[in-house]
Amino acid sequence: MFAVLFIRARANARTSNQNNQIRNRPDIEPAQPAMQPALFDRLVSLSNDIFFVLDQNLRFVYVSGNFQKLLKIDPVPLDNSPIMCYLSTESYMELKKYAAEVDYGEPVSFAAQLIGAEQSLIHVNIAMQKQDAWFGTCFMGEIKTVKLKREELNSDKNIYLQILEAVSTSVIITDINGVIEHANSAVCRKTGYTLQELTGHKARKIESELIPNQTALWNTVKNGGTWQGEWQGTAKNGEKYWELVSVSPLFSKDGHISHYVTFKEDITTLKEKLSHLENTSRNLSEKVALRDQMFSLISHDIRNCVGNLKNISTVLNSELNNATPSMELIGQYAAIISDNSTNTYAILENLLAWAKSQFVKAEVKKEIIDIEDIIKQNIEIFNTLAARKDIKFECETGNFTEVFADLRAVQAVVRNLITNAIKFSFQGGTIKISADEYSADENFAIISVADNGVGITQQQKQTLFKIDSPSTTAGTQNEKGTGLGLILCRDLVEKNGGTIWVEDNSPSGSVFCFTIPFA
């Protein structure tokens, strides 16, 4: 019957043009319309569908009588009435959009809501075309009610649909094959799809592939049970979100499953908070485990150092009480005491600095400092220690030596790298310390400490700065350490916006490098 409307409009348009030509020829009688309006109305009334014609202002020019029956309203003349009086606001705006954008003869179809008696909502599909008819542009189409299933078409259907629209929970109704037959507005808002885009498609359109044990889901609901769980959904724009889902079967009067209903609550924010709490708990556990490990290592090393100091002091005191004390032995014992004291002091300094950086909210106080001054100060401090292994220092600095960083942090990093270089250098070695502009980023200075000592294996490089695997390798003269120094260096450098790494120093030895922002 819709085709008849279309043909009638086009036929009358052509007839109008022909009549204009015929009027200019008195020997030919004007042709009569093939079908009179009254006869057309009687034919339309035999159909259950609703046909309509709107003018360019979206007012009724013609509508079949079934329209009033569908809305359960008293018979009123609809000619010239605006269709907006009988459509929900969203449906009218969609109709208005299509009316403005579609081309002549292009069919459009969309889901809409009609407003019936007592403001009841009736879900329908509207199909129409824009026509250039004999009385000007019009919109001709038909309205068909959306029928889900016979079991759902009861007197309370509109109430149920209004309830679904009122709740914030996403609700989807599918057939037994998982094809969507209805979805409430919450689903459309969450997914970005319109009801028309969802209807007739599989529910998996808005589900990701992270549904745990999908087979168990279907086995549960097909056997009449309710499945509950979590899954990740995908919106139209590709955005992922998490939902708490409950899927249940709906039964017809004869006891067979006719539909499935899915209720979904967005738990994305909750999942993010739980993930944050898990990460925080895991980080805290790692810190506690690391603290225990570090304290165990440090207590062992400090005990050794203090024990050595006690033993050497006892021997030294005994030697001094001899009638003829050996100055050579006294000098050796004094050197051992000095080395042990220096090592113990360095361990305690690193322990306090690391503990402060990990367990106290220490503020990084950045200022303009001269990196060349810091390097020279540390070389002077460790000259005596280096001289015992006959190690020499070489220092090279570029034109730009002022950096913007925490003074204590940079001092601690330079101190640790120099002591490490001394520890792993051979007798008579050379340690080269340089500071210059970083070639990879002109906004940073690069400081490097190079030795020609034992070097570092590839396996050691992978764990050197890792907090869970501190290195405790002995030096070239069996010097002890905890490996805490390099972990502290990484932490302090990163807090000042730089990075730290190690390279091979061909043909032997290692180069430790770190970057710090320029002033």
Side-chain angles (χ1 to χ4, degrees):
M1 293 300 295
F2 176 62
V4 173
L5 274 177
F6 172 76
I7 294 170
R8 179 190 181 197
R10 298 299 291 259
N12 276 279
R14 289 197 300 269
T15 303
S16 178
N17 292 332
Q18 291 171 354
N19 284 343
N20 289 333
Q21 297 174 2
I22 292 170
R23 289 191 187 97
N24 297 325
R25 296 183 59 186
D27 58 320
I28 300 178
E29 291 294 330
Q32 296 299 318
M35 183 180 294
Q36 298 297 328
L39 177 58
F40 177 77
D41 291 340
R42 287 197 298 272
L43 288 175
V44 168
S45 66
L46 297 176
S47 170
N48 292 324
D49 293 326
I50 302 168
F51 298 91
F52 65 90
V53 179
L54 304 175
D55 63 16
Q56 62 267 32
N57 297 317
L58 301 183
R59 291 176 173 270
F60 285 113
V61 174
Y62 172 83
V63 65
S64 60
N66 291 327
F67 186 78
Q68 293 168 333
K69 294 179 182 178
L70 175 65
L71 299 185
K72 296 181 180 179
I73 58 178
D74 295 332
V76 293
L78 291 173
D79 284 358
N80 235 9
S81 297
I83 193 173
M84 68 178 294
C85 297
Y86 306 98
L87 284 175
S88 67
T89 302
E90 290 183 0
S91 299
Y92 178 71
M93 295 305 294
E94 192 166 8
L95 171 64
K96 192 174 181 181
K97 173 186 174 184
Y98 284 128
E101 295 179 355
V102 297
D103 296 326
Y104 289 104
E106 180 182 345
V108 294
S109 179
F110 60 95
Q113 290 180 327
L114 292 175
I115 302 175
E118 299 179 357
Q119 298 299 305
S120 62
L121 294 178
I122 302 172
H123 291 260
V124 299
N125 278 333
I126 296 180
M128 71 177 191
Q129 286 185 354
K130 182 190 290 187
Q131 303 294 332
D132 187 7
W134 67 95
F135 49 81
T137 300
C138 69
F139 305 93
M140 309 178 67
E142 60 181 343
I143 299 174
K144 289 188 177 181
T145 56
V146 177
K147 299 179 181 180
L148 298 181
K149 287 292 180 180
R150 185 178 60 186
E151 292 80 15
E152 297 173 330
L153 295 177
N154 51 57
S155 58
D156 297 325
K157 174 186 172 183
N158 290 328
I159 296 176
Y160 297 149
L161 290 177
Q162 289 182 67
I163 292 174
L164 292 183
E165 292 301 313
V167 299
S168 59
T169 301
S170 295
V171 183
I172 295 175
I173 299 174
T174 70
D175 64 14
I176 58 175
N177 296 314
V179 176
I180 297 174
E181 292 190 351
H182 183 73
N184 67 347
S185 298
V187 176
C188 298
R189 287 193 299 270
K190 186 62 189 175
T191 65
Y193 290 103
T194 64
L195 180 60
Q196 182 183 6
E197 290 174 321
L198 293 174
T199 304
H201 292 276
K202 288 276 190 178
R204 69 171 65 99
K205 180 172 184 174
I206 53 175
E207 298 162 3
S208 75
E209 297 168 357
L210 296 180
I211 301 177
N213 202 350
Q214 193 169 23
T215 303
L217 184 159
W218 280 108
N219 288 339
T220 300
V221 296
K222 285 182 177 179
N223 290 319
T226 297
W227 181 89
Q228 292 181 323
E230 298 176 1
W231 71 43
Q232 193 178 42
T234 305
K236 186 176 181 180
N237 62 3
E239 180 182 347
K240 303 291 185 181
Y241 53 88
W242 283 95
E243 295 177 311
L244 181 64
V245 183
S246 175
V247 184
S248 301
L250 298 177
F251 297 90
S252 60
K253 292 181 179 179
D254 58 7
H256 292 95
I257 296 175
S258 61
H259 295 83
Y260 296 108
V261 60
T262 302
F263 297 91
K264 304 191 295 180
E265 291 286 350
D266 191 313
I267 57 171
T268 305
T269 302
L270 178 61
K271 292 280 286 187
E272 290 174 350
K273 289 182 178 179
L274 287 175
S275 177
H276 176 71
L277 287 175
E278 289 173 357
N279 290 335
T280 301
S281 176
R282 183 166 52 254
N283 290 337
L284 182 59
S285 297
E286 290 174 355
K287 284 187 176 182
V288 170
L290 176 66
R291 179 202 63 188
D292 295 342
Q293 183 182 13
M294 286 299 179
F295 284 167
S296 176
L297 290 169
I298 290 171
S299 62
H300 177 267
D301 286 344
I302 291 178
R303 188 180 293 111
N304 286 340
C305 289
V306 173
N308 288 335
L309 286 172
K310 180 181 178 182
N311 293 335
I312 295 298
S313 298
T314 301
V315 174
L316 178 61
N317 186 55
S318 176
E319 184 65 28
L320 288 171
N321 290 328
N322 285 338
T324 57
S326 171
M327 298 307 295
E328 183 179 354
L329 286 175
I330 291 174
Q332 291 176 0
Y333 295 153
I336 294 173
I337 290 174
S338 177
D339 289 346
N340 274 271
S341 299
T342 302
N343 194 28
T344 304
Y345 179 78
I347 292 173
L348 290 174
E349 278 282 301
N350 284 340
L351 173 61
L352 293 173
W354 177 79
K356 185 178 181 181
S357 68
Q358 293 296 313
F359 300 104
V360 180
K361 292 184 178 179
E363 183 180 354
V364 177
K365 298 180 180 179
K366 293 186 177 183
E367 57 183 305
I368 298 176
I369 56 178
D370 193 320
I371 192 67
E372 184 178 7
D373 289 345
I374 293 176
I375 292 172
K376 289 181 177 180
Q377 290 170 11
N378 277 276
I379 289 176
E380 186 174 347
I381 291 172
F382 292 106
N383 253 330
T384 303
L385 184 62
R388 292 200 183 101
K389 297 176 74 172
D390 196 23
I391 294 173
K392 297 179 180 178
F393 287 108
E394 292 183 6
C395 180
E396 295 180 1
T397 56
N399 297 324
F400 307 98
T401 60
E402 289 188 339
V403 296
F404 189 64
D406 187 286
L407 175 61
R408 293 181 179 273
V410 176
Q411 285 177 332
V413 174
V414 172
R415 181 182 70 242
N416 273 283
L417 295 184
I418 290 178
T419 55
N420 268 1
I422 295 172
K423 175 181 175 181
F424 293 106
S425 288
F426 294 109
Q427 188 80 18
T430 300
I431 296 175
K432 296 181 179 179
I433 307 172
S434 64
D436 206 344
E437 182 180 319
Y438 185 33
S439 59
D441 190 339
E442 61 183 12
N443 295 314
F444 285 80
I446 180 171
I447 298 92
S448 61
V449 179
D451 63 65
N452 51 11
V454 297
I456 299 174
T457 66
Q458 195 63 34
Q459 183 178 1
Q460 288 174 325
K461 288 180 183 178
Q462 295 175 357
T463 60
L464 199 59
F465 297 100
K466 288 189 176 180
I467 199 167
D468 57 348
S469 56
S471 173
T472 58
T473 307
T476 54
Q477 293 185 358
N478 205 30
E479 298 98 327
K480 303 295 183 181
T482 62
L484 180 59
L486 290 179
I487 296 173
L488 174 66
C489 288
R490 188 198 69 174
D491 188 52
L492 294 177
V493 168
E494 290 179 351
K495 284 184 176 179
N496 281 273
T499 55
I500 187 169
W501 68 94
V502 62
E503 299 173 354
D504 292 328
N505 186 22
S506 181
S508 64
S510 304
V511 183
F512 282 85
C513 307
F514 71 96
T515 58
I516 291 293
F518 273 125

